[in-house]
Amino acid sequence: MARRREQETVTARIDTGVAEIVPDRDRPRAFTLVIDGTPQSHVDLDDPGYLEFEYVRRMAAAIDLAAPRRQPLRVLHLGGGALTLPRYVAKTRPGSSQRVVEIDAALVKLVRRVLPWSPNPRIRIRVGDARAELAGMRDGSYDVVVGDVFISARTPAHLSSVEFVTEVARVLRPEGTYLVNIADGPPLAYTRCQVATVRQVLPQTCLIADGPLLRGRRYGNLVLVASRADLPVEKLTRRVAGDWFPARLLHGDELERFTSGARAVTDRDAQPSTPPPPDVFA
């Protein structure tokens, strides 16, 4: 039997650093996008429904529960990476209309060349700053907004304030869902403030992460889910608990205790997210 030819890592300088597209040794046409040493996205070109990263599966679970199965959605992705979630939504909810905002034009070109997605006029890419692009969007135009913006492994401060979340809420439909990827480490002070910030605008919130991360024992990714409408907390709790790497969901009194003493941040005092420890991705 012929051996599969090993693919090589593609390395390129992009606008925000150095990108590597690294082949997955276990899946023939799957790759990880790494920027400045930080893994950003994983995609399987043959199976966009396969999601390698735990936090992405948790976001996908929330999207799955945002509407009846296979019902098309209007989704806004702030932060593009390798388009993992847009590809997933296109497969699981055919006919969905999606817009992706990515600040790095060179990254968009690299992903389009090395990790092409199926021609789909319903996935539109806009190069620009997430907040600036939000300002020009219509009120109530999206079912889901995904916030997953990182530059040098940190979310910029201007995407972490009450004013920014107010803009997100403006473009969401009344029952729409906002999903945020938060990268943080002990003592999770940034996460606590982000929960307080988001819930000031979108009061129905829950937080998803694995137990050791929630207990402040390591650095990692947490997913914040928020809406004006009631969230499918019970179903989402079961989904994330049944994952390959089980997670906990904090809601109600548990989330109140987690955020006790944290205050919402505004443009005046917002800070970038917590940088990863030097050896976290070694």
Side-chain angles (χ1 to χ4, degrees), residues 175-196:
E175 69 284 2
T177 303
Y178 180 37
L179 305 176
V180 193
N181 174 24
I182 301 173
D184 200 5
L188 299 180
Y190 178 82
T191 300
R192 298 175 204 275
C193 286
Q194 279 301 287
V195 175

Side-chain angles (χ1 to χ4, degrees), residues 149-162:
V149 179
F150 288 86
I151 298 177
S152 299
R154 304 178 74 179
T155 299
H158 72 295
L159 306 184
S160 304
S161 66
V162 168

